[in-house]
Amino acid sequence: MANQKQQGEWFSSKETIKLLKISDCELMHRRERGELKFEKRGRAYFYYFEIKDE
């Protein structure tokens, strides 16, 4: 198996809310404060999380 340093994945708003166990309102606040890496695709937001291989 090849050595992977870091890999990331994009999650929808709904998936991010479940992953972080927060409300949709808290998700919006974190996005506005710049705490989450995100991009807007059409009318939907997607959030990027890095997955570190250990």
Side-chain angles (χ1 to χ4, degrees):
M1 190 180 223
N3 241 356
Q4 294 180 344
K5 292 177 189 169
Q6 286 183 347
Q7 210 173 1
E9 197 170 336
W10 290 95
F11 294 93
S12 69
S13 294
K14 203 175 223 181
E15 292 169 324
T16 303
I17 288 166
K18 285 182 184 177
L19 185 70
L20 298 179
K21 296 181 176 117
I22 58 173
S23 67
D24 54 347
C25 189
E26 177 61 23
L27 181 64
M28 179 192 67
H29 291 304
R30 289 188 185 189
R31 184 176 68 234
E32 289 176 346
R33 288 193 300 256
E35 295 176 11
L36 299 170
K37 182 176 178 180
F38 72 93
E39 67 178 36
K40 192 170 182 184
R41 301 179 192 166
R43 292 173 53 193
Y45 287 96
F46 287 85
Y47 301 86
Y48 185 79
F49 293 95
E50 286 187 355
I51 300 153
K52 297 177 183 177
D53 272 356
E54 297 185 37

